[in-house]
Amino acid sequence: MLKIDSCSFCCGCASCVQRCPKQCITLKANHEGFFYPVIDKDLCIDCGLCEKGCPVLAHLEEREPLKVYAAINNDEEIRKESSSGGVFTALAETIIAEGGVVFGARFDEDWQVQLDCTDNVDGLKLFRGSKYVQARVEDTYKRTESYLKQGRKVLFSGTPCQIAGLRMYLGREYDNLLCVDFVCHGVPSPKVWERYLRELVARKCEKNTVLFSSNKLSISEENAFIKGISFRDKKLGWKKFSFVFRGKLTKATAVGEKNSVLFSAMHRDDVYMRAFLSDLILRPSCYDCRCKSGKSGADITIADFWGIQYVAPEMDDDKGTSLVLINSNKGDILYNGLKLKSSEQSYSDAVRYNSSIVRSVKVPKKRDLFWKQYKECDDFGRVVNKVLRRTIRERVKGRIKSIIKKIIKK
């Protein structure tokens, strides 16, 4: 029977749920909104498959990439819709062109995030762009295994722990499987995300009487009101990305009427993004991630190439540049077949400006305070602003650190 001593270790990959032959493991949300496995002991037969499929209990080996690249998709429209340089879409289109299937993260009808699959290029649009919420894995490992056994090529993309969970679930290597993860900062709580969205919708309805005659909406009406969300809008540039929320102006939106931008804020000004980037709302396992440094087993790792302006300024036009880590021969072969603007770089430079490749973020000192006040207060933004308000001493220390970083980078 699966035994993980603390919730701080479980990453929520759901491998145990999908491996269980008796279907006696379910995922249930805790007080922070993160899902954890619960075992029905009356149904459990102690087969041990859940333990064998758990990446947290496994000894995963560190790997350095074979090659490192800065890359840009030549299709400017795809690049615009992507968080960085649009490399994921280039990889996915290649697999689909060969009759394969691509798994990625998309918003569901409630604007939560789940993993899903597509076998057509149009379906890739839903997977483009970062989604800063922990995605539900659902039964995607089982579906992946089914496609692989049919002989179809599969590209499975996800967080490092989701890739590790898939590999542990499968228990063997498949020549027709390509795993792609990304450099992960950590995954925020779906519960916090839901609350933030509801408060944002309520504010928009209250301030704009054109929207609805009453700002008291049902959950289904709230979800229907939302027409688009971008965590990484590049209108102000890739480095100054914004959170953008789009909705409809009336209950009966006219055919052909464009959805309006009802809220837009730079990442440092939006309360949800501030909470995320300050590490307050991350899953506990993210503070000690067991799948960094190539441990996930991904063939290719992608990310924003932060710092590209210092190491290869010719690859930086502030529209987004991807960092690509090639971790296997399989990944190398696929990447070499892509038509991208590409420049080989050093691993040391990649890690220098993207420390999340190898290091987990630290537990914030005010994390417990945030969750205590989050539970007691009915205004998410007020809680975030209060908890993150810095003292004069903290502001001075922050300024000094910023100056030192700039000196080091030069």
Side-chain angles (χ1 to χ4, degrees):
M1 184 183 296
L2 186 67
K3 293 181 181 179
I4 298 178
D5 295 333
S6 171
C7 283
S8 63
F9 298 125
C10 174
C11 61
C13 72
S15 176
C16 58
V17 176
Q18 296 178 77
R19 287 208 79 178
C20 179
K22 302 299 289 185
Q23 297 182 329
C24 67
I25 305 178
T26 56
L27 293 177
K28 293 188 177 180
N30 70 350
H31 65 286
E32 292 184 355
F34 294 108
F35 288 86
Y36 292 89
V38 176
I39 300 174
D40 185 334
K41 295 181 180 179
D42 292 333
L43 295 177
C44 179
I45 58 175
D46 280 322
C47 65
L49 289 178
C50 54
E51 292 178 327
K52 292 178 181 177
C54 179
V56 173
L57 298 179
H59 179 69
L60 303 176
E61 297 289 341
E62 289 189 12
R63 299 182 303 167
E64 285 198 6
L66 305 176
K67 296 176 184 177
V68 177
Y69 295 98
I72 292 172
N73 195 314
N74 293 316
D75 187 319
E76 285 299 316
E77 190 61 31
I78 289 175
R79 189 179 175 206
K80 181 181 177 181
E81 294 176 357
S82 305
S83 294
S84 49
V87 169
F88 165 75
T89 299
L91 293 167
E93 286 178 341
T94 300
I95 296 298
I96 288 175
E98 297 174 355
V101 179
V102 174
F103 285 82
R106 68 168 179 84
F107 288 113
D108 65 15
E109 62 277 4
D110 296 323
W111 295 98
Q112 288 291 344
V113 183
Q114 69 174 79
L115 296 186
D116 203 352
C117 71
T118 184
D119 60 1
N120 64 81
V121 172
D122 287 340
L124 297 177
K125 293 179 181 178
L126 298 176
F127 298 159
R128 282 199 280 272
S130 298
K131 300 167 184 69
Y132 296 131
V133 188
Q134 182 162 31
R136 302 191 313 276
V137 177
E138 304 288 2
D139 64 345
T140 52
Y141 296 170
K142 286 185 176 181
R143 291 161 68 189
T144 296
E145 184 178 40
S146 176
Y147 284 125
L148 291 172
K149 289 182 176 180
Q150 293 172 28
R152 297 184 72 176
K153 287 191 174 183
V154 175
L155 185 157
F156 192 101
S157 64
T159 62
C161 59
Q162 289 168 348
I163 297 300
L166 171 65
R167 288 198 170 277
M168 294 296 295
Y169 170 85
L170 294 173
R172 52 158 289 195
E173 184 65 40
Y174 285 87
D175 292 336
N176 50 331
L177 171 66
L178 185 91
C179 291
V180 178
D181 68 358
F182 54 86
V183 175
C184 184
H185 177 86
V187 291
S189 163
K191 180 179 180 180
V192 173
W193 169 242
E194 179 184 16
R195 178 166 167 179
Y196 167 77
L197 269 189
R198 296 194 68 180
E199 290 182 10
L200 181 59
V201 169
R203 288 201 305 274
K204 294 298 106 179
C205 290
E206 183 178 3
K207 291 181 180 179
N208 193 334
T209 56
V210 176
L211 295 173
F212 295 97
S213 58
S214 170
N215 62 11
K216 294 181 180 180
L217 306 176
S218 66
I219 293 177
S220 60
E221 284 179 318
E222 287 178 351
N223 294 333
F225 169 71
I226 303 168
K227 293 300 177 183
I229 293 171
S230 175
F231 287 97
R232 298 286 301 278
D233 186 270
K234 299 178 184 177
K235 187 175 182 179
L236 299 177
W238 170 51
K239 300 180 189 69
K240 295 181 179 180
F241 62 88
S242 303
F243 173 84
V244 172
F245 166 82
R246 293 178 176 83
K248 61 182 181 180
L249 287 174
T250 61
K251 278 189 175 181
T253 302
V255 176
E257 181 182 338
K258 292 184 177 180
N259 298 313
S260 300
V261 173
L262 300 179
F263 178 78
S264 177
M266 280 188 60
H267 60 277
R268 64 190 179 199
D269 298 324
D270 175 67
V271 289
Y272 182 82
M273 291 300 293
R274 288 179 63 209
F276 165 54
L277 294 173
S278 299
D279 310 326
L280 289 173
I281 56 176
L282 303 185
R283 190 180 181 95
S285 60
C286 296
Y287 302 114
D288 183 21
C289 178
R290 306 298 178 86
C291 301
K292 289 186 178 293
S293 300
K295 292 180 182 178
S296 71
D299 298 291
I300 295 176
T301 298
I302 55 179
D304 296 274
F305 204 136
W306 300 126
I308 190 64
Q309 66 270 34
Y310 304 113
V311 300
E314 71 279 4
M315 293 291 291
D316 177 36
D317 58 3
D318 202 30
K319 294 181 181 179
T321 305
S322 293
L323 169 65
V324 184
L325 308 180
I326 304 299
N327 305 315
S328 71
N329 291 328
K330 191 191 304 182
D332 189 34
I333 293 170
L334 180 61
Y335 183 81
N336 285 331
L338 303 180
K339 295 180 180 179
L340 301 169
K341 181 180 179 181
S342 183
S343 172
E344 191 162 2
Q345 305 295 324
S346 72
Y347 183 52
S348 60
D349 278 339
V351 173
R352 182 182 181 186
Y353 297 104
N354 300 267
S355 62
S356 292
I357 295 172
V358 296
R359 286 193 292 274
S360 302
V361 297
K362 295 181 179 180
V363 181
K365 293 179 181 179
K366 296 181 179 180
R367 189 181 192 277
D368 289 341
L369 175 62
F370 166 80
W371 283 105
K372 180 177 183 297
Q373 295 194 3
Y374 174 85
K375 183 178 180 181
E376 297 172 351
C377 181
D378 60 357
D379 189 323
F380 171 68
R382 187 186 305 166
V383 173
V384 173
N385 290 328
K386 184 176 181 180
V387 171
L388 293 182
R389 187 179 298 125
R390 298 194 299 173
T391 63
I392 294 177
R393 183 179 180 182
E394 288 173 332
R395 289 198 293 269
V396 171
K397 287 178 66 177
R399 180 60 180 162
I400 292 173
K401 286 183 179 179
S402 177
I403 293 172
I404 292 173
K405 284 183 179 180
K406 288 182 179 179
I407 293 172
I408 292 173
K409 287 179 179 179
K410 290 181 180 179

